[in-house]
Amino acid sequence: MGSRLIQILLGLSLLLNTFVLVGFVYSSWISPPTFERHMLPPPPPPGTRPSPVELVIKDLGLDDAQRDAVRGQLDRYAAARRERFREIQKIRDQIAAELAKPQMDMTQIDGLIDQITKLRADQSKESLHAVAQLGPQLRPDQRERLHVLLVQRF
């Protein structure tokens, strides 16, 4: 009777382990992913994504007079940023066209990627220059906050 009880308990243990393993396999590999677990906020609609400079201005809490004083700089920055993004999109289209070819020319793709990298680096430099030009319009407490933001973000 003792060996029969052990066999039954081992059988039940094997059955339980099998159900746990099947449940794990199903939830990990078979079932569709549920977005509730790790749901990120949706990306902003195209064209409404604020620039780094706009985010810094928002975080600094510039008043209307300060915003008016830097409006010309911000308009020039925004125009240059839009133009740079147009250039990046043109290069992306060129890369996509090259990737669609049966025989990809990797030297050309490498050159296009280098161009995108340079444009993005130029954009980062331009953003820092625009933020630096805000300095004279800021109050001392805003300047301190600006330096903290620069260290955190850039």
Side-chain angles (χ1 to χ4, degrees):
M1 181 96 166
S3 67
R4 188 73 145 151
L5 181 63
I6 292 175
Q7 288 176 350
I8 290 173
L9 290 176
L10 285 175
L12 288 174
S13 175
L14 179 63
L15 187 63
L16 179 64
N17 287 334
T18 303
F19 282 127
V20 169
L21 185 62
V22 167
F24 171 73
V25 169
Y26 179 78
S27 68
S28 298
W29 295 331
I30 298 173
S31 71
T34 58
F35 296 105
E36 297 166 0
R37 289 187 207 158
H38 306 288
M39 190 163 184
L40 296 174
T48 60
R49 186 173 173 181
S51 73
V53 176
E54 291 167 346
L55 291 174
V56 167
I57 288 173
K58 179 183 169 196
D59 289 343
L60 289 175
L62 269 63
D63 58 26
D64 291 336
Q66 290 172 316
R67 286 181 188 268
D68 290 340
V70 296
R71 187 155 326 274
Q73 296 169 351
L74 294 177
D75 291 343
R76 286 190 299 276
Y77 167 76
R81 185 171 189 254
R82 281 191 299 273
E83 182 58 35
R84 191 164 285 116
F85 281 130
R86 279 190 214 105
E87 292 174 27
I88 289 173
Q89 189 57 47
K90 287 178 188 176
I91 296 172
R92 283 182 179 163
D93 293 342
Q94 291 174 0
I95 291 173
E98 190 62 36
L99 292 173
K101 293 180 181 177
Q103 292 293 333
M104 296 182 289
D105 183 6
M106 287 309 293
T107 57
Q108 185 174 1
I109 292 173
D110 289 344
L112 293 171
I113 291 173
D114 290 341
Q115 288 178 16
I116 287 178
T117 303
K118 184 181 180 321
L119 288 170
R120 286 185 178 155
D122 290 343
Q123 182 62 46
S124 294
K125 291 176 188 177
E126 186 71 29
S127 295
L128 281 174
H129 287 287
V131 168
Q133 291 176 354
L134 295 175
Q137 307 301 328
L138 301 177
R139 297 185 310 265
D141 63 316
Q142 289 174 326
R143 277 194 205 105
E144 290 176 21
R145 177 79 176 128
L146 174 65
H147 290 292
V148 170
L149 289 173
L150 288 175
V151 169
Q152 289 175 348
R153 295 186 185 170
F154 294 101

